[in-house]
């Protein structure tokens, strides 16, 4: 069986996901009609219950529960449709590159322009229609920064060969590039690197005695209130416990404020970061560079996606204290203090690893950008980089963003150092 060309594979996948978009749209329409029907049923039950007294008002619980379930299902279908639309856009960008119609539609990298750089302007590295726009499939700032750094600075022969081996290992994995593009786009849409940098801020772990003491005080307060409610203790005991806890909570408010500034409200953002890290963890090994990047992700034998999701749980718990129905219990238990101390402990244990995780993701996105170019241009060769005397030799040389027919057929030999 003949392997599909890049164009055929892109078209096949685009068509499949276009069908997914259409299916999700039809399902959304059915859900909307079902919600309207449930609303009419609820009106009918309300008329029978309150107008004619033929039914118990408790019958309204059935359509209300069904309506709530439809809301949850509808949200999932909308997310599925949005993801399918992003995948379609990913393959449409690929087809545009193959057609030579990509200029002005991608990441131009203008922010990396340096008018004093030795060769960036001559080689048209950044800007509309630039080499960066052609190559860059990174959707996060970390990936863009890494790719730009590689284009702007020479690398030693060993580093060049390591990147080439990694790119060759990643080139066939179109599924990985699709997943990283979609997940990275979701991260780029909502997550700012400055937000993640707050996790890496230096933090001292709270003393274990402090955490245990706070937990014991909350347990005593709950026990005092339970005893009062059961008639086993006078109310003054419960009020005294609550007062003591209030003073302690007030003294520890600095921890809560620090946690709020660092992570409050960023639970969904952390989940998206965890999804990108999880996809990276499943990426195929196959080169020493990829092996090293995977090794950089491991902290205390635990995968970073699990570690970030553990923080996401604490962030959600911290945010829950703002729910008006949960406020009484939060006040009764020093909820914010416990969550803040747990978050502070996480930052002390794992905050220093955040930069390494982000750097690893940036490296993988940059490598996948080069792998995508290699997959779309299978006839292009990898340069041979050797140690020793600095010299440059090339045949049929051409700029990657120029039409293939524009490659120069002359053999070039120069004493200039090889480009990285």
């Amino acid at each position: 069986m003949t392997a599909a060309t890049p164009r055929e594979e892109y078209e096949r996948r685009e068509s499949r996901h276009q069908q997914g978009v259409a299916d999700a749209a039809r399902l959304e329409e059915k859900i909307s009609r079902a919600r309207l029907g449930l609303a009419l049923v609820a009106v009918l039950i309300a008329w029978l219950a309150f107008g004619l007294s033929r039914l118990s008002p408790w019958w309204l619980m059935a359509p209300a529960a069904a309506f709530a379930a439809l809301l949850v299902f509808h949200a999932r279908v909308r997310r599925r449709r949005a993801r399918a639309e992003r995948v379609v856009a990913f393959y449409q960008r690929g087809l545009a590159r193959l057609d030579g119609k990509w200029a002005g539609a991608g990441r131009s990298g203008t922010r990396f322009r340096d008018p004093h750089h030795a060769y960036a302007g001559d080689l048209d590295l950044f800007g509309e229609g630039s080499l960066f726009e052609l190559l860059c499939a990174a959707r996060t700032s970390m990936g863009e920064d890494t790719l730009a750094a590689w284009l702007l600075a020479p690398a030693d022969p060993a580093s060049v060969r390591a990147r080439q081996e990694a790119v060759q290992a990643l080139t066939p994995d179109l599924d990985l590039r699709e997943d990283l593009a979609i997940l990275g786009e979701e991260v780029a849409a909502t997550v700012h690197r400055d937000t993640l940098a707050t996790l890496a801020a230096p933090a001292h772990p709270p003393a274990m005695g402090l955490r245990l003491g706070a937990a014991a005080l909350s347990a005593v307060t709950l026990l005092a209130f339970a005893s009062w409610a059961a008639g086993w203790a006078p109310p003054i005991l419960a009020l005294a416990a609550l007062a003591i806890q209030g003073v302690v909570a007030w003294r520890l408010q600095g921890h809560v404020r620090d946690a709020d500034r660092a992570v409050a409200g960023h639970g969904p953002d952390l989940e998206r970061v965890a999804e990108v890290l999880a996809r990276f963890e499943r990426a195929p090994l196959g080169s020493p560079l990829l092996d090293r990047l995977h090794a950089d992700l491991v902290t205390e034998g635990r995968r970073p996606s699990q570690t970030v999701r553990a923080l996401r749980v604490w962030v959600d718990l911290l945010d829950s204290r703002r729910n008006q129905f949960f406020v009484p219990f939060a006040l009764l238990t020093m909820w914010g203090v416990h969550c803040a101390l747990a978050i502070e402990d996480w930052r002390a244990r794992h905050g220093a690893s955040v930069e390494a995780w982000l750097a690893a993701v940036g490296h993988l996105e940059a490598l996948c950008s080069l792998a995508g170019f290699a997959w779309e241009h299978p006839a292009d060769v990898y340069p041979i980089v050797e140690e020793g005397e600095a010299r440059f030799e090339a045949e049929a040389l051409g700029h990657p963003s120029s039409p293939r027919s524009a490659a120069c057929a002359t053999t070039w030999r120069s004493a200039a150092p090889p480009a990285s």
Side-chain angles (χ1 to χ4, degrees), residues 40-84:
L40 295 176
V41 169
V43 170
L44 177 61
I45 292 176
W47 178 62
L48 291 173
F50 299 107
L52 301 179
S53 300
R54 298 280 183 86
L55 291 176
S56 168
W58 287 105
W59 279 97
L60 285 171
M61 294 297 293
F67 194 86
L70 277 179
L71 284 178
V72 173
F73 184 53
H74 199 178
R76 290 180 180 175
V77 173
R78 281 199 297 268
R79 287 195 296 270
R80 189 192 313 163
R81 178 180 178 179
R83 191 184 190 283

Side-chain angles (χ1 to χ4, degrees), residues 346-382:
W346 189 99
R347 294 175 69 199
R349 289 176 179 274
H350 307 292
S353 301
V354 172
E355 277 299 318
W357 297 342
L358 298 181
V361 169
H363 274 70
L364 183 66
E365 279 199 307
L367 290 169
C368 281
S369 294
L370 299 177
F373 180 88
W375 191 79
E376 292 173 1
H377 303 88
D380 287 8
V381 299
Y382 286 82

Side-chain angles (χ1 to χ4, degrees), residues 171-323:
T171 296
D173 199 341
L174 182 55
D175 290 333
L176 172 63
R177 292 194 290 279
E178 175 189 312
D179 290 342
L180 282 180
I182 305 313
L183 292 172
E185 194 163 315
E186 293 173 354
V187 169
T190 59
V191 183
H192 301 288
R193 189 163 187 171
D194 292 343
T195 299
L196 300 178
T198 61
L199 302 180
H204 299 290
M208 182 58 67
L210 177 61
R211 296 187 67 182
L212 292 176
L217 181 56
S218 293
V220 168
T221 303
L222 285 174
L223 182 61
F225 269 84
S227 299
W228 171 37
W232 299 338
I236 189 64
L237 180 63
L239 294 176
L242 185 61
I244 294 171
Q245 183 175 256
V247 172
V248 173
W250 176 74
R251 294 292 300 273
L252 297 176
Q253 274 304 298
H255 296 275
V256 180
R257 285 194 296 271
D258 288 344
D260 266 333
R261 282 195 294 267
V263 298
H266 295 303
D269 298 345
L270 292 169
E271 180 60 30
R272 293 185 182 94
V273 172
E275 288 174 354
V276 172
L277 290 169
R279 188 60 183 90
F280 190 177
E281 292 159 6
R282 299 195 306 272
L285 302 178
S287 81
L289 177 56
L290 292 174
D291 291 341
R292 288 198 300 274
L293 291 176
H294 273 263
D296 289 342
L297 294 178
V298 179
T299 304
E300 297 179 357
R302 193 176 187 186
R303 295 197 300 270
S305 60
Q306 295 175 331
T307 305
V308 172
R309 284 194 170 107
L311 176 63
R312 189 259 165 93
V313 170
W314 284 113
V315 171
D316 287 345
L317 291 175
L318 178 68
D319 291 339
S320 68
R321 78 190 197 282
R322 296 185 173 87
N323 186 300

Side-chain angles (χ1 to χ4, degrees), residues 109-163:
T110 304
R111 64 189 176 98
F112 300 111
R113 272 181 170 166
D114 179 2
H116 306 294
H117 193 271
Y119 57 80
D122 295 332
L123 295 182
D124 196 19
L125 292 189
F126 303 107
E128 184 174 327
S130 64
L131 178 61
F132 183 88
E133 185 177 358
L134 173 63
L135 294 176
C136 187
R139 313 313 295 170
T140 70
S141 62
M142 297 87 77
E144 291 181 4
D145 293 347
T146 302
L147 181 60
W150 289 354
L151 294 175
L152 286 170
D156 60 89
S159 296
V160 173
R161 286 193 291 268
R163 292 173 192 168

